[in-house]
Amino acid sequence: MLIKNVHIQNDDQTKDVRIENGQFVNISPSIEATNGEKVIDATDKLMLPPFVDPHVHLDATQTAGDPEWNQSGTLFDGIRIWSERKQKLTVEDVKARAKKAIKIQVANGIQFIRSHVDVTDPNLTALKALIEVRDEIKDQVELQLVAFPQEGILSFPHGKELMTEAADMGADVIGGIPHFEFTHEYAVASLQFLMKLAEQKGKLVDVHCDEIDDPQSRSLETLATLALESGMGDKVTASHTTAMGSYNDAYAYKLFRLLKMSHINFIANPLVNTNLGGRFDTYPKRRGMTRVKELNADGINVAFGEDDLKDPWYPMGNGNMLDPVEMGIHVGHLMGYDDIMNSYKFVTVNAAKAMHVTDHYGIEVGKPADCIIMNNDNFYNALNERSEILYSIHNGNVLVETEPKKVHNHFKF
Ligand code: FE2
């Protein structure tokens, strides 16, 4: 396959891209098509590495309103409603809903997904279901599963045993939720436990960390210290860290030194953070998002996730990674022209780095031919105009093809 005249990652100059045997084999200013070679004319189109959703909950997806809608809009009501819905989970139920959501995501150019899976369930039903899904879709989508203790590790009966069992069953990543543990001591102990578990089992780490508008919620400093001292470094991700939006600047300044030294990744979820954040405020209301602009400026890896697609925490969600990008750059004041042009990185290369898949991700000769082609010439225009994913290509195979929208104007000026 030969893709002609495409702008790769906002490059003003166009390139031709040849794909053979599932790999990028040549990326040059001009390549002649061979006899019978499939040619895609990508003049004025943008090629990006595929979208990555590094933070989503596929076990809870598509359950919004069941058994009730989250009327208060708080994280804690979301957890309460989910714990009721969880009672009627079956493997078939989880698989059907997860696959429905993944299909929507793939249609929007996503090829890599990290899903948290609630393992505070003595039967581990959702994890069993999502392991089956992971295997069934593996040729088309890379799905990582996080053993996520939604109701706590030390604050839930047999929490430690369930986490260990989930790791042994095949979870790729070890999760945590220190801000939901009963006490600060439990929060610290939960982080010590989960980091040890990840080290022993050879897993990555992704913790729901300080997802609360409480400036006293400081689990991040413990997680970063453990990542630094264990040498786990960039295998560790702190998701949410919304409390950082409420830290005083003196503490944040001191914290950033540690964050940089630790090499951990950050994942913000701009849509859901702004929905759940500030819910206990009157006015002024906090924005709910972590310090994306400052982390990014300091060279710390930050990615964006969708977090929720129609579940007790967020009634919206459409699988389109342009939405968290749009919200993130607004809330984070990342609205300079260069900020907007580069904002695709939050849901592509930065997210791939957080997922630790960069050895086989990116538009480079010799890597698997995974990419998307958007219906515009650069990301500023593509984001602003919500351009279509004309092609999503995975291992050299076209996963998705979209016909551009046609508008027939009948006005006269
Ligand atoms: Fe989450």
Side-chain angles (χ1 to χ4, degrees), residues 84-239:
E84 270 180 63
R85 178 60 177 79
K86 208 157 63 172
Q87 307 305 320
K88 55 178 187 181
L89 287 186
T90 64
V91 167
E92 296 69 34
D93 162 50
V94 175
K95 284 182 74 174
R97 288 184 291 98
K99 280 187 172 173
K100 184 178 174 188
I102 293 168
K103 278 182 189 167
I104 297 166
Q105 292 183 303
V106 172
N108 283 290
I110 294 172
Q111 296 182 16
F112 294 79
I113 302 169
R114 175 180 281 178
S115 175
H116 295 259
V117 189
D118 185 0
V119 297
T120 48
D121 162 16
N123 302 314
L124 297 177
T125 304
L127 184 61
K128 284 176 197 155
L130 281 160
I131 285 174
E132 287 184 24
V133 172
R134 181 181 67 189
D135 293 342
E136 287 167 25
I137 64 173
K138 69 175 189 301
D139 293 335
Q140 293 156 312
V141 179
E142 185 164 333
L143 176 60
Q144 283 182 356
L145 301 175
V146 186
F148 171 52
Q150 176 73 76
E151 297 184 57
I153 298 176
L154 277 81
S155 312
F156 189 78
H158 310 292
K160 287 184 179 177
E161 290 79 5
L162 287 167
M163 289 293 289
T164 308
E165 199 182 333
D168 290 336
M169 258 174 74
D172 307 285
V173 187
I174 304 299
I177 189 164
H179 56 278
F180 193 73
E181 300 284 356
F182 292 148
T183 66
H184 170 68
E185 288 72 21
Y186 276 16
V188 171
S190 75
L191 290 167
Q192 289 165 336
F193 168 80
L194 71 90
M195 286 292 290
K196 264 269 152 354
L197 181 64
E199 262 190 284
Q200 282 168 356
K201 307 282 182 188
K203 312 278 186 184
L204 302 167
V205 170
D206 190 337
V207 173
H208 280 63
C209 195
D210 303 318
E211 188 186 4
I212 186 168
D213 290 325
D214 174 9
Q216 305 302 320
S217 188
R218 294 181 173 187
S219 294
L220 177 57
E221 63 184 21
T222 304
L223 180 65
T225 301
L226 291 168
L228 173 68
E229 293 182 349
S230 65
M232 290 276 282
D234 67 0
K235 290 182 181 158
V236 176
T237 293
S239 279

Side-chain angles (χ1 to χ4, degrees), residues 55-57 116 148 208 211 239-240 269 307-308:
H55 187 122
V56 69
H57 295 254
H116 295 259
F148 171 52
H208 280 63
E211 188 186 4
S239 279
H240 294 293
N269 297 288
D307 204 3
D308 299 293

